[in-house]
């Protein structure tokens, strides 16, 4: 009965305008966010979008600059960054591509100049630098290496 009353209360709030301009989807189960959500800047442009599972970010997420251009995208698992994430300059070109495991940098990481040439090829192991890192100039020519 308590769950039914709580559910009715949330439905009334949603229907009668509790939905602010920053949040476009409200789905709550057991007082936790569930399903697909979108968040917006006050300007009306999307700020971020993705899924929740049992109150934690889960699945694919996208974040946007206030201009509406994609800022970063990647995957969460139980609220932690997982797999490959891409980060972009505010004009849309890729800035870096990182791999994560349990919310820590793990595996390859590449940073790019604004002209899309590689700046650094790096490796991480559970958040710590590992292996050999390669550094490049803006022409894409390798300039140095550093081993960890």
């Amino acid at each position: 009965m308590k769950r039914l009353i709580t559910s009715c209360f949330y439905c009334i709030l949603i229907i009668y305008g509790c939905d602010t301009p920053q949040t476009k989807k409200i789905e709550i189960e057991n007082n936790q966010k569930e399903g697909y959500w979108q968040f917006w800047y006050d300007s009306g442009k999307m700020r971020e979008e993705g899924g929740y599972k049992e109150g934690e970010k889960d699945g694919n997420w996208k974040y946007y600059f206030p201009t509406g251009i994609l800022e970063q995208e990647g995957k969460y698992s139980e609220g932690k960054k997982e797999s490959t994430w891409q980060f972009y300059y505010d004009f849309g070109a890729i800035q870096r591509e990182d791999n994560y495991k349990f919310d820590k940098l793990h595996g390859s990481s590449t940073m790019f100049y604004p002209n899309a040439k590689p700046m650094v090829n790096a490796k991480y192991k559970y958040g710590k630098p590992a292996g050999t890192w390669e550094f490049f100039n803006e022409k894409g020519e390798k300039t140095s290496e550093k081993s960890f």
Side-chain angles (χ1 to χ4, degrees):
M1 181 66 173
K2 183 178 179 184
R3 189 173 185 188
L4 177 63
I5 292 171
T6 303
S7 295
C8 289
F9 174 73
Y10 282 122
C11 288
I12 290 168
L13 286 175
I14 292 167
I15 292 168
Y16 288 101
C18 187
D19 189 11
T20 68
Q22 287 94 18
T23 306
K24 292 295 182 190
K25 171 113 181 183
I26 294 182
E27 190 175 325
I28 299 178
E29 291 181 15
N30 299 322
N31 294 321
Q32 294 180 340
K33 293 176 183 173
E34 282 291 331
Y36 176 76
W37 282 58
Q38 295 176 330
F39 300 89
W40 304 79
Y41 290 105
D42 289 335
S43 67
K45 298 217 184 243
M46 189 175 299
R47 186 182 66 189
E48 59 189 85
E49 61 180 324
Y52 281 92
K53 185 176 178 183
E54 298 177 1
E56 300 283 348
K57 288 182 176 181
D58 198 77
N60 296 322
W61 273 79
K62 292 182 177 183
Y63 297 85
Y64 300 88
F65 289 105
T67 59
I69 293 174
L70 185 62
E71 178 182 4
Q72 59 181 287
E73 61 184 333
K75 182 178 179 181
Y76 284 98
S77 179
E78 298 178 359
K80 294 179 174 24
K81 285 183 177 178
E82 286 291 327
S83 194
T84 303
W85 278 72
Q86 288 93 23
F87 300 82
Y88 301 91
Y89 288 103
D90 60 3
F91 57 90
I94 188 140
Q95 184 180 42
R96 56 179 226 265
E97 185 173 277
D98 297 331
N99 284 285
Y100 287 86
K101 192 169 190 172
F102 305 118
D103 214 31
K104 294 185 185 282
L105 286 166
H106 186 77
S108 65
S109 174
T110 304
M111 290 178 266
F112 299 91
Y113 287 104
N115 67 5
K117 299 280 187 189
M119 181 187 299
V120 179
N121 284 332
K123 289 185 174 59
Y124 287 90
K125 190 168 184 178
Y126 296 105
K128 296 185 179 180
T132 302
W133 288 27
E134 299 174 318
F135 299 86
F136 302 86
N137 63 25
E138 287 189 55
K139 295 177 184 175
E141 300 165 336
K142 187 172 164 182
T143 58
S144 64
E145 288 184 349
K146 182 172 182 174
S147 295
F148 292 92

